[in-house]
Amino acid sequence: MKKSILRLIIPVFLMICHAAAQTPVEEGIVSGVWSKTGSPYLVTGTVNIPSGSVLTIEPGVTVNFTGHYKFIVEGKLLAEGMPGDSILFTATDEETGWHGLRFLNTIAAGEDTSRITYCRLEYGRVMGGCPDNRGGAVYAAGSNVVISHCLIRRNKAVSGAADWGGGAIYCETANLIIEDNII
């Protein structure tokens, strides 16, 4: 009798623990640390790291965009995974996607270099007018960014009926180091 009760209780306990680990991220300003214990982070609106702020995303974190939202970086993003424990940026709806990482004028603001290492960036879908139709996974204008050891796949930049402006990465007057990635 005790074994059968345990067989029922343990799976329910594990489901509750997994559900409790989800962290909703509402539209607005983000900074601080996103840890693996709070993962997945469910982004429910456009988020922004303002100038002078830092967001650190730890290895093993999943950042899941529940709609077509931007991740704007005007400060500093440190998304540094590790071999075998990467960080995932993805979308709940693969067709709609999310609007990618948008690094905007961090050089002018005096920000140090943002880093995206050992990350997977997928299902970025950018569209509309310039510059919103550029850089499906990453758009960098006037910014310092290192992108290394990443898998960047299934991203798209669209303007009207045509593909446009860097389905994976688009940089404009930026200081980017892009090395050892699979795109």
Side-chain angles (χ1 to χ4, degrees):
M1 178 69 173
K2 288 181 182 180
K3 285 185 180 181
S4 62
I5 290 173
L6 284 175
R7 285 186 184 140
L8 292 173
I9 292 173
I10 290 173
V12 171
F13 177 75
L14 292 174
M15 287 188 317
I16 290 170
C17 289
H18 178 71
Q22 295 181 355
T23 304
V25 179
E26 296 180 358
E27 181 169 359
I29 293 173
V30 295
S31 64
V33 177
W34 289 2
S35 66
K36 189 173 184 174
T37 57
S39 185
Y41 288 81
L42 304 176
V43 180
T44 61
T46 293
V47 293
N48 182 307
I49 304 171
S51 180
S53 294
V54 178
L55 174 64
T56 301
I57 302 176
E58 294 182 343
V61 167
T62 295
V63 181
N64 190 344
F65 290 80
T66 62
H68 193 256
Y69 308 121
K70 296 177 186 177
F71 193 128
I72 299 169
V73 180
E74 296 171 317
K76 184 176 178 181
L77 173 63
L78 297 175
E80 297 180 287
M82 296 172 45
D85 201 12
S86 63
I87 297 167
L88 173 62
F89 292 88
T90 191
T92 301
D93 183 335
E94 297 172 4
E95 288 300 314
T96 302
W98 61 294
H99 203 96
L101 296 169
R102 319 297 286 173
F103 293 89
L104 304 176
N105 301 311
T106 63
I107 296 170
E111 298 294 339
D112 196 5
T113 303
S114 288
R115 298 183 176 282
I116 306 167
T117 59
Y118 292 100
C119 292
R120 291 181 291 152
L121 296 100
E122 58 186 26
Y123 305 112
R125 304 277 187 264
V126 296
M127 60 196 78
C130 184
D132 280 338
N133 62 350
R134 297 177 179 180
V138 177
Y139 172 81
S143 297
N144 297 319
V145 184
V146 171
I147 304 168
S148 70
H149 299 91
C150 294
L151 173 60
I152 304 171
R153 63 181 180 176
R154 299 181 182 122
N155 299 284
K156 194 170 192 176
V158 178
S159 178
D163 289 350
W164 210 95
I169 301 171
Y170 188 96
C171 57
E172 184 173 337
T173 320
N175 297 322
L176 265 64
I177 297 173
I178 303 170
E179 62 184 4
D180 298 320
N181 299 289
I182 297 173
I183 300 175

